[in-house]
Amino acid sequence: MVTSALALKNDDTNAELALRLAEQPQDDVKWCTVSLSDVLNANKRLEASVFDVEGKHAREIITNCKWESVPLYGTEGLIELAYYPGWMQRSRLKRIWCDKQYGEGFYIPSQMMDVYPSPEKYISRFADCDMNELRLKKDTLLLTRSGTIGNVSYVSKTLEGRVFSDDVIRISFKDRYDLGYVYTFFKSEIGNLILRTNGYGSVITHIEPGHLAEIRVPNAPVDIREKINNRIVRSFNLRDESNELLDRATALLIHELNLPPISEFETKQFDNETDLNNYNVKLSQLSGRFDGSYHVPIVPAIIEHLYKHAAEVTTVGDDRISKDIILPGRFKRVYVEEGQGRVFFGGKQLYELDPSNKKYLSLAQHGNRIKDQLELHENITLITRSGTIGKVTLTPKHWEKWVINEHVIRVIPSSDEIAGYLFVFLSSQYGYSLITRFTYGSVVDEIDENHVAQIPFPILEDRSTQDRINQLALKANSLRYEAYNLEQEALRLMNDEVIFAQ
């Protein structure tokens, strides 16, 4: 938060004063210079908040950088091409949604930062748009252009060929090493601030490809750019490898339990002789629940199948499976500055490797609650329990002692011998159906720790296969930790050898 700011007219008469201010200890004072033209462009407003001194100061840091800066886009720029589907027509693409079997998975901008996104919608192949233009091409940079500005991602094997929204700008580069270099620049605090603000610092709400020509980046030597790029490439290769291991683990689970595609269970839900979504429930099976979604037939169909093909069907609450299932209570949060508390993030960022929009929770105010309920540890399974129900992930090592909000249930495995297998089952389509059947609430959907404890859980007949699934999941999780460390190394290089290089 800006506690104080000084706006100076940028001319020779004030150069000496500006120099003296720059040499003074800044502490909590945040300042920048503002030219007369900036004031005129801002409708002659003189308040510091209009100019967002942090954005203005970020540009000055790049201007004063050791390395001469170059425009990001243009004849002398690093970018070869920047576009989004339909951008020349200046009109939104017409989308026709359909069921999975009639279309292709469609991804929205918020999913591009997920380690392994899965489609929530399906777009019809008959939609009035060029599907190939929507598909992502490998080794390109992605940039959100509206809504949340400044999210950036890298198209590696996982995202290649996937159909993404036209709200994402696709960027290719003249030199291969500039992809990871610019990705890291935009992930850095200074670079991201420049991306999200205009020339005089105001936060922008929309980016067009042409706006990238206004952004200048340090023209560091090729060897530095290659060092940064190589770490980013390796980081995303590890994420791809992690996803492949999880695919193998899920395939083993499906094979061992002889599970048919989830669509076959879905077709058994309703009476074949009518188009009405109706089904009968015995009084003895009500379990005190009168909401139809709890008794949807896909759930008993999956459970019946598990009993036929598993050695045993227990529950997640079985002490052989989990030591504890924690749903933290609600509380009023007290935030502090970075470095003064625990990293804090929410369920929306559950699928991200390095959660965006991190905050910092006060240890002084929440120390006991953090220790007893909130802090994360490696290989804990996390399940979102309100709003969007049933997002599941496995806590990676770099989230150790970080804090996620109370809208996420923590399932603490009984041991590392079951942790990976527990995650693979719950994160599967079949696990998702068993989780979401407990959903209740008329406005905001909810589940709680008691519901999670009741989720049916299969023990495989072939324990060696179960162990193999578990090992694959834990290996995948460790690869994500390595991927995170490589990205952090790239960010350190960007800050130390480029942006703040002396």
Side-chain angles (χ1 to χ4, degrees):
M1 183 177 69
V2 177
T3 55
S4 177
L6 299 172
L8 305 176
K9 183 179 177 181
N10 192 19
D11 57 25
D12 293 338
T13 62
N14 281 304
E16 185 178 350
L17 176 59
L19 181 61
R20 289 202 306 270
L21 286 172
E23 292 174 346
Q24 292 176 358
Q26 296 303 311
D27 297 326
D28 294 332
V29 177
K30 296 182 180 179
W31 61 275
C32 71
T33 60
V34 179
S35 66
L36 179 60
S37 61
D38 286 343
V39 175
L40 294 176
N41 288 334
N43 296 321
K44 302 178 182 179
R45 299 282 294 277
L46 297 176
E47 304 96 310
S49 59
V50 172
F51 300 97
D52 189 347
V53 295
E54 291 181 337
K56 183 73 175 178
H57 202 186
R59 282 175 166 77
E60 291 180 356
I61 289 173
I62 298 303
T63 300
N64 298 323
C65 175
K66 175 180 178 180
W67 312 112
E68 181 183 354
S69 64
V70 295
L72 187 60
Y73 200 12
T75 305
E76 299 178 357
L78 308 181
I79 292 176
E80 177 72 30
L81 178 64
Y83 74 98
Y84 57 86
W87 76 291
M88 294 300 292
Q89 290 78 26
R90 303 294 180 184
S91 60
R92 293 186 63 85
L93 299 177
K94 295 181 179 179
R95 305 166 184 175
I96 302 175
W97 306 122
C98 63
D99 292 333
K100 181 177 180 179
Q101 61 267 36
Y102 303 116
E104 291 197 46
F106 186 86
Y107 299 81
I108 58 178
S110 61
Q111 292 182 284
M112 76 182 200
M113 296 176 69
D114 293 351
V115 179
Y116 201 0
S118 58
E120 297 178 358
K121 297 181 178 180
Y122 292 86
I123 188 170
S124 171
R125 298 184 181 93
F126 299 104
D128 184 19
C129 61
D130 185 346
M131 207 70 73
N132 288 327
E133 191 179 18
L134 289 171
R135 295 186 199 283
L136 299 183
K137 297 176 177 60
K138 195 171 184 293
D139 296 329
T140 55
L141 189 72
L142 303 182
L143 187 66
T144 50
R145 68 181 180 91
S146 61
T148 301
I149 300 298
N151 286 346
V152 61
S153 189
Y154 180 117
V155 181
S156 60
K157 185 177 179 181
T158 294
L159 292 183
E160 183 182 11
R162 304 209 179 199
V163 176
F164 257 78
S165 164
D166 56 307
D167 288 317
V168 175
I169 295 176
R170 284 82 161 156
I171 303 172
S172 58
F173 292 85
K174 297 174 183 177
D175 296 307
R176 56 171 180 77
Y177 48 75
D178 283 330
L179 173 56
Y181 178 71
V182 174
Y183 168 87
T184 308
F185 178 74
F186 282 151
K187 289 284 285 187
S188 71
E189 184 177 355
I190 296 297
N192 196 257
L193 194 55
I194 290 173
L195 180 62
R196 292 185 288 106
T197 59
N198 60 22
Y200 53 88
S202 294
V203 176
I204 55 180
T205 58
H206 191 85
I207 293 179
E208 290 291 329
H211 293 160
L212 299 174
E214 303 171 7
I215 297 175
R216 299 186 70 86
V217 297
N219 190 22
V222 170
D223 63 324
I224 294 178
R225 286 146 74 175
E226 285 189 326
K227 280 198 299 184
I228 292 172
N229 177 73
N230 291 342
R231 283 161 174 77
I232 295 302
V233 170
R234 178 59 180 154
S235 174
F236 276 86
N237 286 342
L238 288 174
R239 299 177 213 201
D240 294 338
E241 188 178 345
S242 167
N243 296 336
E244 291 171 359
L245 292 179
L246 290 178
D247 285 343
R248 287 168 55 189
T250 302
L252 280 174
L253 175 74
I254 291 172
H255 179 267
E256 188 65 20
L257 290 173
N258 196 27
L259 287 162
I262 195 71
S263 57
E264 291 191 20
F265 288 117
E266 292 171 346
T267 58
K268 297 177 182 178
Q269 290 189 55
F270 308 117
D271 189 337
N272 293 328
E273 298 179 358
T274 178
D275 291 332
L276 296 176
N277 294 348
N278 66 87
Y279 39 86
N280 298 320
V281 180
K282 294 180 180 179
L283 181 63
S284 59
Q285 297 174 336
L286 281 177
S287 301
R289 298 286 294 262
F290 288 87
D291 41 333
S293 60
Y294 179 83
H295 301 285
V296 65
I298 187 175
V299 173
I302 292 174
I303 295 173
E304 181 182 356
H305 185 93
L306 294 180
Y307 271 104
K308 288 180 180 178
H309 296 277
E312 177 187 356
V313 177
T314 181
T315 61
V316 172
D318 187 327
D319 58 12
R320 294 174 297 169
I321 310 302
S322 62
K323 286 193 287 190
D324 199 5
I325 301 174
I326 300 174
L327 171 57
R330 297 180 183 272
F331 64 100
K332 185 176 181 180
R333 305 164 191 166
V334 178
Y335 298 119
V336 294
E337 295 296 323
E338 182 177 358
Q340 299 177 2
R342 291 288 182 85
V343 175
F344 180 85
F345 62 102
K348 287 184 179 180
Q349 291 79 43
L350 196 67
Y351 290 155
E352 297 178 19
L353 183 69
D354 184 14
S356 55
N357 300 319
K358 293 193 291 288
K359 298 179 181 179
Y360 300 89
L361 201 63
S362 170
L363 273 170
Q365 296 294 323
H366 306 298
N368 291 334
R369 184 184 292 271
I370 287 173
K371 181 180 178 182
D372 296 337
Q373 296 183 336
L374 295 173
E375 71 180 10
L376 302 178
H377 299 286
E378 187 180 7
N379 295 334
I380 288 178
T381 292
L382 305 176
I383 306 173
T384 53
R385 62 93 178 173
S386 64
T388 302
I389 305 292
K391 292 171 63 174
V392 180
T393 198
L394 191 61
T395 304
K397 187 175 181 178
H398 58 278
W399 290 5
E400 184 75 24
K401 294 195 175 181
W402 286 12
V403 174
I404 197 166
N405 66 25
E406 68 274 15
H407 296 287
V408 178
I409 293 174
R410 290 86 162 143
V411 182
I412 302 174
S414 60
S415 69
D416 284 346
E417 281 69 39
I418 197 69
Y421 176 67
L422 171 65
F423 161 70
V424 170
F425 178 75
L426 291 179
S427 62
S428 69
Q429 293 176 307
Y430 315 94
Y432 175 80
S433 296
L434 297 178
I435 293 170
T436 54
R437 67 92 56 104
F438 290 102
T439 302
Y440 68 94
S442 57
V443 178
V444 179
D445 290 339
E446 302 272 353
I447 61 171
D448 61 34
E449 72 276 27
N450 296 313
H451 297 142
V452 171
Q454 298 173 47
I455 296 171
F457 186 80
I459 303 295
L460 301 185
E461 290 186 356
D462 186 346
R463 292 303 177 89
S464 63
T465 299
Q466 182 170 307
D467 290 341
R468 179 61 178 155
I469 293 170
N470 184 71
Q471 292 165 7
L472 286 170
L474 297 185
K475 177 61 176 177
N477 208 30
S478 67
L479 290 179
R480 292 183 176 182
Y481 171 62
E482 293 179 36
Y484 171 82
N485 285 337
L486 282 168
E487 184 168 292
Q488 294 305 302
E489 285 181 24
L491 284 167
R492 283 192 289 273
L493 285 171
M494 175 62 68
N495 285 325
D496 297 343
E497 299 191 21
V498 180
I499 296 175
F500 299 105
Q502 300 297 318

